[in-house]
Structures are given as structure tokens and as C-alpha cells.
Amino acid sequence: MKKVLFIGLGHMGTALVKGILKNPNNGIKVFGYDVIKEVQEKAVKNIKGLNSLNDISDIETKNIDFIVIGTRPIDVEPLCSEIDQLNINGKTIICMANAVTIDTVQNCFKQNENVMVIRMMPNMNASIQKSVTALATKNASNEKINFVTKMFELCGIVENVSEENFGTLTAISGCSPSYIISFYKAMTDYAISNGFEKEQAFRIIEEAIIGSVVNASKSEVSLRTIVDQICVPNGSTIEGQKVLDNKEFENIIKEALKAAEKKAVS
């Protein structure tokens, strides 16, 4: 049984842990550690199957195989330098801190030079096993990559991408739930303000959004052609679409993604 440690038990770390532990036959022993002990204790108490790691030095004594770093970017290098004081040769470091490169992590390990490093970017939907998780590496073996891929497939789908594409990936996957939920909020707020009960509004709009995306992804024509086909002349849809086009809705979304990508690589 492989042993995996998650360092940093915030929203993203706990979402991944929940996704992995929802499958009782995962063959993984999951540990959690957070410098804020109240956060760690709460996570261990609320997530069935999550084991507590009392101190960073226990990485060695517990023979942890994979270390997932989910701290703030500013904390990654000091943390890795601390871990490097232990004997972790041959272990795998998985870093999901934003804008922290593989080389940045690798260069922290002076005593354990053969540590393998994998960069990853998940999203918040891991807790319901609907995450898109991207992986990139320069030195991890196929065996290690295959294990990490299968582990995070317990949280959704996994995509292997080049590290050069991580900025764009972060924008369209890691950040996009916020933008999508903002769109969802606007629609549900409108429905509720016009007399719909919250649960009914959520149900209707959720199905409309999911169905539309699935339908469009299976179409053989361009996305704009689908929009034009829906917008029947003199109908209701075209009136709303005119507002979106006049306000340059698509460009607004692209500007948001561009801003997120810029931050993800800086």
C-alpha cells in the first residue's frame, strides 16, 4: 500500500483527499499535515480515512512515498528545504502551488538529488470527483506517473500537459469554476428574483448549462454556428444574445482568462 501525504489542508487539499477517500478500495494510505493544527484536526475529524501526521520529520519514520504540497507558493521553498533534511531519496514530490515550477522545487533538494518532482493543477471539483487535474514532470518515472495519474483519476479526469501550458491550463481549469459559478449565480439570482424557488431555479439552470455544454461538445459544427441556429429571427433568444454580443461577453471572458494566466506564470 502506497503512503501519500498532503501538506496543506485548505479547500483544495481537502477536496482532493475527499475525492481519493471516497473510493474505499483505493489501496492508498492518506496522511494529512497542516501547520495550523486546528485546521489539521478538523480535517482528520471530518474526513473518514485521513490519518494525521504530527511532524514533518514523520515523513521519514512513516516511510511516506508521495508528498503532495498544497501550501501557499511563498511557503514551498522553505518547506522543501526542510523536507530535504530528511532521507527521502527516491520519493516523489507533487507540487500544486500556483506558479511554482518543477525546477524551483527540484533545486530545493540538495541532499536528496534523486527526488522526483511532478507539477499538478487540480480544481475545486475534486471533492465530487469531477476535477480536471493536469500533470507535468521532467524526471518522474513511468511507474510514478502512472500511480499519480490513477490516484487523481479518483477525483475526476487527468490530463498530461507540458509545463509551458500550465498558465493557460490554470486559467481554463483551475480558475474557471469561479467564472462559471458567477455565470450560474447571475442566472439563478434572476430566476429567484422573478418568483422561482431557489431549489427549482438551481435544478433548471444546472440542467440547462450541463446539457448545453454536452450537446455543443458533440456537435460537428462550430460553436458560433450553434448559437446562430438557436437564435431564431424575432425570437426571445436572439434578443438576449444581442446584449451579450454588444457587451462583448466573449471578450470579457477571454480577458478574465488572460489575467488569470498572467498571474499563474508570474
Side-chain angles (χ1 to χ4, degrees):
M1 177 177 285
K2 298 295 186 183
K3 297 179 180 179
V4 179
L5 168 65
F6 283 80
I7 299 179
L9 295 171
H11 293 301
M12 194 66 258
T14 53
L16 289 165
V17 169
K18 288 176 182 177
I20 293 169
L21 291 177
K22 276 187 177 179
N23 184 338
N25 301 314
N26 57 52
I28 303 169
K29 188 168 185 179
V30 181
F31 292 82
Y33 175 86
D34 200 290
V35 292
I36 303 175
K37 291 308 165 188
E38 293 83 357
V39 171
Q40 180 174 325
E41 290 167 5
K42 181 180 178 181
V44 172
K45 179 181 179 181
N46 293 336
I47 304 175
K48 183 179 180 181
L50 177 61
N51 300 279
S52 183
L53 196 80
N54 295 323
D55 191 81
I56 287 294
S57 62
D58 290 337
I59 290 172
E60 189 173 345
T61 58
K62 294 288 186 182
N63 196 26
I64 300 296
D65 299 294
F66 295 83
I67 302 167
V68 183
I69 298 176
T71 64
R72 299 179 305 168
I74 195 174
D75 296 325
V76 172
E77 292 185 58
L79 173 62
C80 288
S81 296
E82 181 180 359
I83 295 172
D84 189 40
Q85 302 309 305
L86 308 173
N87 179 13
I88 59 164
N89 270 321
K91 306 300 184 181
T92 304
I93 305 294
I94 305 166
C95 184
M96 61 175 174
N98 185 45
V100 178
T101 67
I102 293 171
D103 287 343
T104 296
V105 176
Q106 196 79 57
N107 291 337
C108 292
F109 293 92
K110 311 297 185 184
Q111 298 186 51
N112 296 275
E113 293 183 355
N114 68 341
V115 160
M116 300 180 198
V117 177
I118 297 173
R119 186 175 176 183
M120 70 170 289
M121 177 55 63
N123 70 29
M124 62 166 284
N125 298 324
S127 62
I128 59 168
Q129 298 169 297
K130 290 292 184 181
S131 176
V132 177
T133 301
L135 302 177
T137 189
K138 292 183 178 180
N139 69 346
S141 66
N142 289 336
E143 178 187 0
K144 303 290 188 182
I145 283 290
N146 288 340
F147 173 81
V148 172
T149 296
K150 291 184 182 300
M151 176 172 66
F152 289 122
E153 281 178 345
L154 295 171
C155 302
I157 68 170
V158 175
E159 297 286 342
N160 290 299
V161 303
S162 67
E163 189 176 27
E164 290 74 19
N165 289 333
F166 252 67
T168 303
L169 183 282
T170 298
I172 65 172
S173 175
C175 303
S176 65
S178 174
Y179 317 145
I180 293 165
I181 291 170
S182 294
F183 177 70
Y184 183 47
K185 178 181 181 297
M187 294 191 71
T188 53
D189 283 352
Y190 180 81
I192 293 167
S193 69
N194 282 279
F196 278 83
E197 294 294 327
K198 177 182 176 181
E199 291 75 13
Q200 187 180 32
F202 274 37
R203 186 168 62 249
I204 291 169
I205 296 167
E206 174 189 354
E207 196 65 20
I209 292 173
I210 294 173
S212 299
V213 172
V214 171
N215 194 4
S217 69
K218 296 181 181 301
S219 176
E220 295 182 356
V221 301
S222 71
L223 298 182
R224 184 64 208 195
T225 298
I226 298 173
V227 170
D228 293 338
Q229 289 172 344
I230 298 170
C231 291
V232 178
N234 298 318
S236 297
T237 306
I238 197 170
E239 293 306 310
Q241 188 64 45
K242 287 177 182 177
V243 175
L244 294 179
D245 290 344
N246 289 337
K247 297 288 185 179
E248 297 188 336
F249 177 71
E250 290 185 23
N251 284 337
I252 291 171
I253 298 300
K254 291 173 184 176
E255 285 183 23
L257 294 171
K258 184 176 181 180
E261 178 175 353
K262 183 178 180 181
K263 185 66 175 179
V265 297
S266 63

